[in-house]
Amino acid sequence: MKAVRGTAAALLALLVVTGCSSAPSADRKPPAASTPVQPGPVDTLSGATDAAWIQLMTPMNEGAVELLTMAADRAGDPRLRSWASDLATAHRAELGRMRALLKELGLPSTNVHEGHEMPGMVTPGDLTRARAAEGAAFEKVFVVQIREHLEHSARVSRSEVDAGSETAAKKLAAALVEARRGELAGLGRITA
């Protein structure tokens, strides 16, 4: 069991490190210079897993909410508009729980991944492309980005369930894994 936890913690750390390139992409500004973030009270490997997970999931959901809100207004398919609206509401509720957990763990509420390329994160460039697209082209951009978000957030949340130590974080991660399963199935039914 320890080997599984160690592997899962290493996987989460690897996802964060390898997916989090500090080199800005062409459609992003480099992150502004800031005061180094002081770590919260988390001081164990599994506690670090909890911190890494919640600090990644929060901005992932924030970007997804922007894209979902756009799709709820602009998608041509009424089923996709309705699904996006419902998912935006669910993601906003998750964000409330995530922000409370950040506070509970003594972690900063700032986006420590600002300007980084992260798998599954809806980027400012993604939002710009979505705003520029119309009709079926918009729906294609939306579906690709939101599917990637749902898949990656489920994957990272499974790692938290396996390797985290904070009960509240593991409980939220487990809820996200289950939610993503249903959300992906719903998207599949619409796009099939």
Side-chain angles (χ1 to χ4, degrees):
M1 186 59 147
K2 275 189 173 181
V4 170
R5 276 187 183 207
T7 302
L11 175 61
L12 181 58
L14 181 63
L15 285 171
V16 172
V17 172
T18 60
C20 189
S21 166
S22 60
S25 66
D27 58 2
R28 292 192 192 207
K29 297 184 288 190
S34 63
T35 307
V37 175
Q38 296 300 315
V42 179
D43 62 357
T44 64
L45 176 59
S46 56
T49 299
D50 301 315
W53 174 75
I54 195 65
Q55 287 180 311
L56 176 59
M57 287 305 303
T58 303
M60 283 181 74
N61 263 32
E62 289 169 345
V65 164
E66 286 189 60
L67 184 61
L68 288 162
T69 301
M70 194 183 312
D73 292 335
R74 295 187 49 211
D77 182 335
R79 297 173 306 152
L80 196 56
R81 272 196 320 270
S82 177
W83 180 85
S85 178
D86 291 347
L87 190 54
T89 299
H91 270 51
R92 284 185 196 100
E94 289 172 2
L95 275 170
R97 293 173 67 192
M98 289 173 189
R99 289 176 178 139
L101 186 56
L102 281 169
K103 186 175 182 177
E104 181 182 322
L105 296 177
L107 298 167
S109 61
T110 56
N111 180 356
V112 299
H113 297 289
E114 184 74 34
H116 300 172
E117 292 291 329
M118 302 295 300
M121 190 174 294
V122 177
T123 67
D126 297 331
L127 293 170
T128 298
R129 281 187 290 285
R131 283 185 196 101
E134 299 288 334
F138 168 78
E139 288 183 5
K140 182 177 180 181
V141 168
F142 168 71
V143 167
V144 166
Q145 289 306 131
I146 207 65
R147 180 176 285 127
E148 182 179 317
H149 161 74
L150 295 171
E151 291 170 350
H152 283 280
S153 63
R155 187 173 301 130
V156 172
S157 294
R158 276 191 296 275
S159 294
E160 167 61 20
V161 170
D162 292 342
S165 65
E166 295 291 332
T167 302
K170 290 177 65 132
K171 184 176 177 181
L172 178 54
L176 293 183
V177 170
E178 187 61 30
R180 297 304 181 259
R181 185 174 306 140
E183 293 156 0
L184 283 163
L187 181 60
R189 285 189 295 273
I190 294 168
T191 59

